[in-house]
């Protein structure tokens, strides 16, 4: 049998971020699936976004970096389950306006509180200073990931990466290139 080439290793912190994100994704879905009104993470986020006033499919797709058909399919499922309603947009009768039903609001609240409890429990292992540093670091990574999503070719972008760092002058602090 021919010896196969190993898949290359990547920088350890990058690898850890990948596996932590995957673990959190599975954990979030497990927590949400065990609620009285079971949800997927995507369904939960849609309920939260609608509660924040983002009531068009286009706005929801933009927030989630998803396609309109993907969002439409998820919204259809929430409408069938009685968690959302579709109505006429008061400003443009050609557009549909999404609203939470009382059941949808209850499901969204239950999901948000359940995810908050689990995540806060996990964060308790960190001292306050470390939590603050983690918050700052994750915010920066979130912004960089958003930049990747918005770029025309996310596989080639390097927000905050080697190309961006080489453009910075040593000792100059400020906004990092590639981030909004």
């Amino acid at each position: 049998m021919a010896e196969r080439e190993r898949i290359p290793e990547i920088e350890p912190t990058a690898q850890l971020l990948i596996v932590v994100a995957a673990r959190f994704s599975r954990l979030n879905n497990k927590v949400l699936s065990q609620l009285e009104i079971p949800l997927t993470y995507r369904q939960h986020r849609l309920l939260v976004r609608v509660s924040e006033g983002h009531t068009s499919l286009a706005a929801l797709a933009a927030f989630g970096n998803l396609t309109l058909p993907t969002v439409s399919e998820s919204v259809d499922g929430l409408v069938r389950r009685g968690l959302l309603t579709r109505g006429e947009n008061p400003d443009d009768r050609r557009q549909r306006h999404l609203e939470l039903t009382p059941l949808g609001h209850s499901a969204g609240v239950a999901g948000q509180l359940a995810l908050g409890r689990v995540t806060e429990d996990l964060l308790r292992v960190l001292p306050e200073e470390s939590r603050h540093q983690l918050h700052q670091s994750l915010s920066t990574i979130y912004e960089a990931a958003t930049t990747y999503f918005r770029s025309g070719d996310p596989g080639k972008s390097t927000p905050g990466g080697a190309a961006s760092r080489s453009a910075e002058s040593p000792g100059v602090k400020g906004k990092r290139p590639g981030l909004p």
Side-chain angles (χ1 to χ4, degrees), residues 8 13 22 24 26 31 35 39 46 49 54 64 72 75 91 96 98 101 107 110 123 154 160 162 165 167 173-174 179:
T13 304
F24 264 102
R26 290 189 306 273
V31 168
L35 297 174
L39 298 169
L46 287 172
R49 293 291 187 208
H54 308 287
S72 183
V75 165
D91 299 325
R96 305 302 283 171
L98 299 170
T101 65
L123 288 172
R165 282 194 303 273
K173 294 188 181 199
L179 292 177

Side-chain angles (χ1 to χ4, degrees), residues 20 24 27 115-135 138:
V20 167
F24 264 102
L27 180 59
L115 292 175
R117 277 190 302 274
V118 169
T119 306
E120 288 169 14
D121 283 348
L122 295 172
L123 288 172
R124 281 194 184 94
V125 302
L126 296 176
E128 188 60 37
E129 175 65 24
S130 295
R131 287 176 73 160
H132 179 71
Q133 289 173 341
L134 178 64
H135 181 88
L138 290 174

Side-chain angles (χ1 to χ4, degrees), residues 19-20 33-34 40 52 58 61 109 123 130 133 144 150 157 163 172 180:
V19 298
V20 167
S33 71
Q34 295 173 348
T40 65
E52 294 169 343
V109 167
L123 288 172
S130 295
Q133 289 173 341
R150 292 181 179 158
S157 300
V172 175

Side-chain angles (χ1 to χ4, degrees), residues 3 30 106 180:
E3 198 173 313
K30 180 179 180 178
S106 293

